[in-house]
Amino acid sequence: MKRSIRQIQKDETREKLLSAAHIVFGQKGIMAARMSDIAEAAGVSHGTVFVHFKTQETLVAAVIDDFGIRMGQRTHDMARNSGSLRDVLKAHLEGIREDEAFYTQLVIETRSLPPIARETMISIQSAVSFHINQAAQREMDAGVIKPMSMALLFNTWIGLVHYYLTNRDLFSPEKSVIETCGSMLIDHFMHMISSAN
């Protein structure tokens, strides 16, 4: 079915709002940002935001969902194309880097977000965990990394990444943590779980 010009414009406006919200949430914080901030960043009227998203909660959930889809797809593509744990970890960090300010705010504010947004964050982590665990299992079976609990392996990785992101002022002030520290984090994690140790 062919979409009308009006529907195309509506879809484009929605995408513009999602993009603006990613940026505003990364700059101001998710819960501190106002709908009027997002409207201004998108170059639309305040009322236009509410045409697409009835509440701030639905906008937050949509932005997190949009981010999750992109993050999951990137990790899935890399896992399918390579399969090595190191490459899956690189893909995970690259997915974060593309929207690092937003993701960092998401990590910081997860406990205070509406339930639907927290559920979406859990889904994001589950998708990433699935691919990391698949790659890790292959490398455990091959004797490349130590046998260990998959939950502990993933939680150690995500805890390391989140610690650096939420303490950017210590590790990479005014710069991307992923660009500055990403390779070091992967090297450290791989060394820590290597069976050669």
Side-chain angles (χ1 to χ4, degrees), residues 22 25-26 30 67-68 71 92-93 95-110 121 124-125 128 154 157-158 161-162 165-166 178:
H22 276 271
F25 288 162
I30 297 168
F67 175 78
M71 171 72 82
H92 180 223
L93 291 184
I96 291 171
R97 189 199 59 75
E98 289 177 357
D99 212 345
E100 188 172 326
F102 170 72
Y103 183 79
T104 301
Q105 284 303 131
L106 184 57
V107 170
I108 291 168
E109 296 184 48
T110 292
M121 180 62 167
I124 292 169
Q125 298 304 349
V128 171
F154 177 72
W157 168 251
I158 207 72
V161 172
H162 287 181
L165 287 171
T166 59
I178 302 304

Side-chain angles (χ1 to χ4, degrees), residues 171-172 175-184:
F171 303 113
S172 185
K175 295 180 186 172
S176 162
V177 169
I178 302 304
E179 288 177 12
T180 305
C181 305
S183 294
M184 177 194 69

Side-chain angles (χ1 to χ4, degrees), residues 12-131:
E12 288 173 352
T13 300
R14 186 179 193 283
E15 288 304 312
K16 193 186 316 185
L17 288 167
L18 287 172
S19 180
H22 276 271
I23 294 166
V24 171
F25 288 162
Q27 293 169 341
K28 295 187 175 217
I30 297 168
M31 298 308 290
R34 299 177 319 224
M35 297 291 256
S36 58
D37 297 327
I38 292 157
E40 183 179 330
V44 301
S45 72
H46 188 215
T48 300
V49 180
F50 291 99
V51 168
H52 294 273
F53 304 99
K54 298 296 181 207
T55 65
Q56 186 162 353
E57 184 175 308
T58 58
L59 174 60
V60 168
V63 171
I64 294 170
D65 191 50
D66 179 63
F67 175 78
I69 290 167
R70 288 185 290 116
M71 171 72 82
Q73 188 60 50
R74 172 175 284 287
T75 307
H76 176 74
D77 290 346
M78 182 58 79
R80 185 180 61 211
N81 293 334
S82 169
S84 82
L85 180 57
R86 180 177 289 275
D87 286 341
V88 173
L89 297 177
K90 283 181 190 175
H92 180 223
L93 291 184
E94 182 58 25
I96 291 171
R97 189 199 59 75
E98 289 177 357
D99 212 345
E100 188 172 326
F102 170 72
Y103 183 79
T104 301
Q105 284 303 131
L106 184 57
V107 170
I108 291 168
E109 296 184 48
T110 292
R111 308 262 313 144
S112 62
L113 294 175
I116 191 160
R118 287 196 309 270
E119 289 167 15
T120 303
M121 180 62 167
I122 291 167
S123 295
I124 292 169
Q125 298 304 349
S126 294
V128 171
S129 174
F130 173 78
H131 292 296

